[in-house]
Amino acid sequence: MHGTLARLAEWWALGGGLLLLAIVAVTSWNAGAFLLSWLGLGTQGLPGYEDAVRLMVSAAALMFFPLCQLRRGHVAVDLFVRALPGGLRRGLDRLWLAATAAAALFLGYWMVIGLLETRADRTASSILGWPEWPFYAPGVISLALWAAIAAVQCGEAAAEETGHGA
């Protein structure tokens, strides 16, 4: 697990980080242009700024989920589970890993449906006119990678429980 899937999750999150840097750059440029305009220097913001940022955020947001799952960085409610016997805690962990994998696959399925419908409808952003369906693809990939990591973690936990190692 710490091989190919781990590297994919790391590179995928790096891609999400690069998108966030682009969002920050575009936002900074636009904010600077509005400030200059407010000071009377006759500069304007970037046309279609809202379209570009909305589409980039929608792509970048899910790109961090696989790495978060890989590192077990998700929120864990430990308060009550801490007092449970070890076997029950491990069983709950496997249950939630399986549920996470199933939920990510479910969401990915519906995102594929949304991608296909958006493509068929030729939906475009309102100002720039960019087709919106390509911005679904990073989300689909993110959800598939997230599900794969959670499923592998679940399998590893089960193998450790039965003493077969992972």
Side-chain angles (χ1 to χ4, degrees), residues 80-108:
F80 300 107
V81 176
R82 200 176 339 176
L84 296 175
L88 187 53
R89 279 195 321 264
R90 288 187 296 278
L92 282 173
D93 186 47
R94 285 195 315 276
L95 174 69
W96 285 116
L97 286 168
T100 298
L105 285 174
F106 177 78
L107 293 171

